[in-house]
Amino acid sequence: MEKCMNAKLVTLAVNGRTHHIAVKPHVTLLRALRNLGHTDVKNGCEKGDCGACAVLLDNKAVNSCLVLAWQADGAEIITNAGLGTLDHPHPLQEAFADHGAIQCGYCTSGMIISAQALLNRNPDPAEDDIREALSGNLCRCTGYGQIFEAVRMAAERMSDLADFRVVAQ
Ligand code: FES
Ligand code: FES
């Protein structure tokens, strides 16, 4: 990472695409991602309380409002839009739609990212595992039951896809 006047030059690999950006040291990863057009990363509380801004950073879920952009220099970042598209949805995205786990949708990106991080480390989670993994993601609409069911359903569907592998698209 080089310094450029007051800004730092940072390389962010987002959903398989590399961006070279100059950011001031206080700029969060959330702000950088949204400025790059990744508005599927939602801005909720900006203080780590809601989970709406979660992304996968080197395969671990983080609240991007709590990470400075320069701290992600060189890391691989995956957002909800990088997991699947409308034409080729990820099993989690499909299951959320199938189970009515989306109402306003503001929490959904972060929920799916936290769920994917869980499934990366535990492909067959029990309900308690799912509850714990999503405990940092707040939803004001659904009551959570459909969300937990959707994650369970996605885990079952993914176990049927022996060669399924998450990649940025
Ligand atoms: S916006 Fe980052 S946790 Fe709420
Ligand atoms: S669906 Fe509205 S906040 Fe979760």
Side-chain angles (χ1 to χ4, degrees):
M1 182 170 49
E2 301 169 33
K3 287 191 174 174
C4 174
M5 296 176 37
N6 198 13
K8 293 172 186 283
L9 295 182
V10 171
T11 299
L12 300 180
V14 189
N15 299 338
R17 184 164 167 217
T18 301
H19 304 272
H20 303 287
I21 58 172
V23 286
K24 298 232 170 123
H26 64 277
V27 171
T28 64
L29 181 58
L30 168 62
R31 296 243 164 186
L33 289 171
R34 288 183 61 84
N35 284 345
L36 285 168
H38 297 286
T39 52
D40 57 309
V41 184
K42 296 303 182 199
N43 184 349
C45 63
E46 283 195 277
K47 53 183 185 173
D49 288 342
C50 73
C53 65
V55 298
L56 291 174
L57 185 68
D58 286 339
N59 253 350
K60 291 194 180 138
V62 298
N63 287 329
S64 60
C65 67
L66 296 183
V67 177
L68 295 171
W70 65 263
Q71 291 176 305
D73 187 30
E76 184 187 6
I77 297 158
I78 298 178
T79 74
N80 178 49
L83 290 177
T85 64
L86 274 179
D87 288 340
H88 300 286
H90 183 281
L92 276 164
Q93 295 165 335
E94 265 183 339
F96 268 60
D98 291 348
H99 280 268
I102 303 170
Q103 288 187 27
C104 80
Y106 208 82
C107 69
T108 307
S109 285
M111 288 280 183
I112 286 175
I113 288 293
S114 294
Q116 180 61 58
L118 167 66
L119 298 181
N120 282 344
R121 60 182 187 273
N122 178 3
D124 185 23
E127 181 167 338
D128 283 352
D129 301 322
I130 297 170
R131 284 177 180 270
E132 186 182 340
L134 300 188
S135 61
N137 294 83
L138 303 185
C139 178
R140 296 186 184 277
C141 306
T142 66
Y144 298 97
Q146 298 102 311
I147 290 172
F148 300 148
E149 274 176 38
V151 176
R152 188 59 231 155
M153 175 56 65
E156 285 172 21
R157 290 177 181 171
M158 288 166 74
S159 76
D160 293 338
L161 300 171
D163 61 351
F164 185 86
R165 185 165 73 87
V166 176
V167 294
Q169 296 183 356

